[in-house]
């Protein structure tokens, strides 16, 4: 996933993809500017990036070897060592893009043995890419350390592995603060429960993810947020973040009855609608129903959410409440009564549009795969670690989905794996036409 792109006849596409990934790194940004203003070959850009990233990794290895960072006098005193940095020496190694010269740090005692560029090696390895790939696949730092030692005979400290994975934090920040589209017809919101160490205790927190569908029907992951508790304050911050990044209007927000969200959405984007996920309502209603009766209850409730208008839906719910099943399971009726205000916007839409906002499955499928990937992790060390890990895992999931779409001959964006662009919503053209005709005042100025 994090491997530098191979040779491609379309150099511009390659450069754009790389710039999107590493624009926050000053050294890389300088190289990109130089490339734009000169006739330098794209391979020169890649070699420059390799040089900057490898040198950074080698310095992290030296930090782990000495036990303190460069210039940290207090750290050196705490370690109690006479060993210290002793400059560096250049070393040229071969790569897929030609020779790369890196600066290998030295220590006074001569005990530092670099792992990323081993002594005597004349060719660059992809061990840093392998580490990030394993980390994105769900392995912990300790698991990666053991895996490399047993399969490749490479002994890398967990501090060095952590430093290599931390290198993506700049990329995460660029992605998390990137500019967004002015208008999204639909935004889906959902949460994933995780355990995070906070203040010396391991507590449950929620990782919230937003997926926006643009006018072309392409799904975009808009952001990730970690919070201990949901509420009006949290959703005010989320909506404010999206608005500050360029989102001026949202037609409908589909979620699972998140507390405080409707008020935050309406305060940020007046005229927007908040729609409760129908599938979540069905599941919540069936939670109080015995297994043998669930099919019959679901069939009765189907008359409610497939009704052509609100009066017909209300009549169907009254009929269910008065039936034998309704009297047997009053809590199921109450679930729909309590959510009625946030359910009824659904009834305003024609059939094709209803299929789009019927469920938040497009975001839940992500969360299901994230749950599998985080199964090995008992806890995250902090919020930053959780964001980094989840982002890498989502990259991994997106890459696999993009590869599947390419295999099926479907449209694929060159940046799909960078969370900029995902798959297209099924039946979107029909749905957007129906919404635009039903609500011309909301869509005409953006079409």
């Amino acid at each position: 996933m994090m491997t530098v792109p191979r040779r491609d006849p379309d150099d511009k596409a390659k450069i754009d993809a790389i710039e999107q990934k590493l624009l926050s790194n000053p050294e890389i940004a300088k190289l990109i500017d130089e490339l734009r203003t000169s006739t330098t070959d794209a391979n020169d850009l890649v070699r420059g990036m390799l040089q900057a990233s490898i040198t950074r990794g080698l310095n992290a290895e030296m930090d782990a070897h000495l036990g303190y960072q460069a210039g940290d006098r207090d750290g050196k005193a705490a370690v109690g060592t006479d060993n210290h940095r002793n400059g560096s020496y250049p070393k040229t190694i071969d790569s897929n893009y030609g020779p790369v010269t890196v600066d290998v740090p030295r220590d006074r005692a001569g005990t530092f043995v670099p792992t990323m560029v081993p002594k005597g090696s004349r060719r660059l390895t992809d061990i840093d890419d392998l580490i990030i790939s394993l980390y994105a696949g769900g392995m912990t730092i300790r698991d990666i350390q053991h895996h490399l030692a047993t399969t490749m005979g490479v002994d890398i400290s967990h501090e060095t592995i952590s430093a290599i994975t931390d290198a993506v934090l700049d990329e995460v920040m660029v992605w998390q603060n990137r500019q967004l589209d002015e208008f999204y017809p639909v935004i889906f919101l959902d949460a994933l429960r995780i355990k995070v160490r906070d203040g010396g205790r391991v507590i449950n927190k929620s990782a919230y993810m937003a997926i926006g569908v643009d006018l072309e029907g392409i799904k975009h992951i808009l952001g990730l947020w970690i919070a201990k508790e949901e509420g009006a304050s949290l959703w005010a911050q989320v909506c404010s973040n999206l608005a500050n990044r360029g989102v001026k209007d949202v037609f409908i927000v589909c979620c699972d009855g998140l507390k405080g969200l409707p008020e935050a959405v309406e305060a940020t984007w007046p005229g927007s609608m908040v729609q409760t996920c129908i599938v979540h309502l069905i599941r919540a209603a069936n939670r109080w129903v015995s297994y043998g009766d669930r099919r019959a209850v679901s069939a009765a409730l189907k008359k409610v959410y497939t009704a052509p208008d609100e009066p017909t839906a209300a009549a169907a719910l009254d009929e269910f409440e008065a039936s034998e099943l309704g009297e047997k399971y009053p809590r199921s009726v109450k679930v729909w009564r309590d959510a009625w205000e946030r359910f009824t916007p659904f009834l305003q839409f024609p059939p094709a549009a209803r299929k789009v906002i019927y469920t938040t499955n497009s975001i839940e499928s992500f969360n299901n795969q994230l749950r599998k990937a985080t199964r090995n992790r008992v806890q995250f060390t902090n919020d930053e670690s959780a964001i980094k890990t989840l982002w890498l895992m989502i990259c991994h999931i997106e890459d696999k989905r993009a590869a599947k779409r390419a295999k099926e001959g479907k449209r694929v964006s060159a940046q799909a794996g960078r969370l900029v662009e995902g798959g297209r919503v099924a039946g979107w053209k029909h749905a957007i036409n129906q919404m635009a005709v039903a609500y011309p005042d909301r869509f005409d100025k953006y079409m």
Side-chain angles (χ1 to χ4, degrees), residues 171-400:
E171 187 179 348
V172 175
M173 291 304 298
V174 171
W175 170 75
Q176 188 80 325
N177 293 289
R178 74 194 190 280
Q179 282 296 111
L180 302 174
D181 289 351
E182 181 181 7
F183 174 65
Y184 288 94
V186 184
I187 287 181
F188 297 100
L189 290 169
D190 199 18
L192 173 72
R193 298 292 286 177
I194 57 176
K195 293 184 180 295
V196 182
R197 181 168 291 278
D198 189 351
R201 298 184 302 115
V202 177
I203 61 176
N204 289 320
K205 290 190 176 184
S206 295
Y208 294 93
M209 181 165 59
I211 291 183
V213 182
D214 65 17
L215 286 168
E216 298 298 320
I218 305 300
K219 292 179 286 187
H220 304 255
I221 300 181
L222 306 182
L224 287 167
W225 299 270
I226 306 293
K228 183 178 179 181
E229 296 177 355
E230 67 175 273
S233 176
L234 166 67
W235 292 116
Q237 294 177 30
V238 170
C239 292
S240 176
N241 176 272
L242 295 176
N244 290 336
R245 290 162 58 199
V247 181
K248 295 182 178 180
D249 194 9
V250 178
F251 181 52
I252 188 164
V253 177
C254 188
C255 63
D256 177 23
L258 301 171
K259 298 177 182 177
L261 176 62
E263 294 77 11
V265 169
E266 291 163 359
T268 308
W269 302 294
S272 299
M273 290 184 282
V274 178
Q275 170 65 53
T276 297
C277 171
I278 305 302
V279 172
H280 276 91
L281 278 177
I282 297 170
R283 290 175 184 168
N286 276 321
R287 189 177 300 137
W288 311 99
V289 179
S290 63
Y291 183 79
D293 289 333
R294 287 185 179 179
R295 179 172 294 183
V297 169
S298 297
L301 291 175
K302 187 175 182 180
K303 297 179 181 179
V304 179
Y305 60 83
T306 57
D309 50 42
E310 184 176 352
T312 306
L317 185 59
D318 291 339
E319 180 184 348
F320 171 68
E321 185 175 20
S323 68
E324 182 180 345
L325 285 173
E327 293 177 353
K328 186 176 181 181
Y329 303 111
R331 291 300 298 269
S332 297
V333 178
K334 186 176 185 300
V335 167
W336 283 80
R337 295 287 187 202
D338 292 345
W340 192 256
E341 183 181 352
R342 297 301 171 187
F343 157 70
T344 50
F346 176 81
L347 301 173
Q348 303 174 28
F349 297 100
R354 288 189 184 187
K355 290 181 180 179
V356 173
I357 61 175
Y358 172 76
T359 177
T360 57
N361 276 351
S362 60
I363 195 170
E364 286 184 46
S365 62
F366 257 115
N367 283 343
N368 286 335
Q369 294 190 59
L370 289 177
R371 288 186 185 94
K372 295 177 183 177
T374 57
R375 197 168 292 161
N376 293 335
R377 285 177 167 78
V378 178
Q379 64 188 39
F380 293 99
T381 54
N382 49 48
D383 289 359
E384 189 177 69
S385 172
I387 288 286
K388 175 188 70 174
T389 305
L390 292 173
W391 185 84
L392 280 170
M393 290 176 176
I394 294 170
C395 281
H396 188 62
I397 294 168
E398 279 281 22
D399 283 345
K400 291 193 296 184

Side-chain angles (χ1 to χ4, degrees), residues 25 76 98 168 220 368:
N25 188 308
K76 181 179 179 181
V168 305
H220 304 255
N368 286 335

Side-chain angles (χ1 to χ4, degrees), residues 394-395 398-399 401-402 405 412-423:
I394 294 170
C395 281
E398 279 281 22
D399 283 345
R401 290 183 172 185
R405 289 196 297 270
V412 179
S413 167
Q415 295 179 319
R418 294 277 70 81
L419 310 181
V420 174
E421 190 171 314

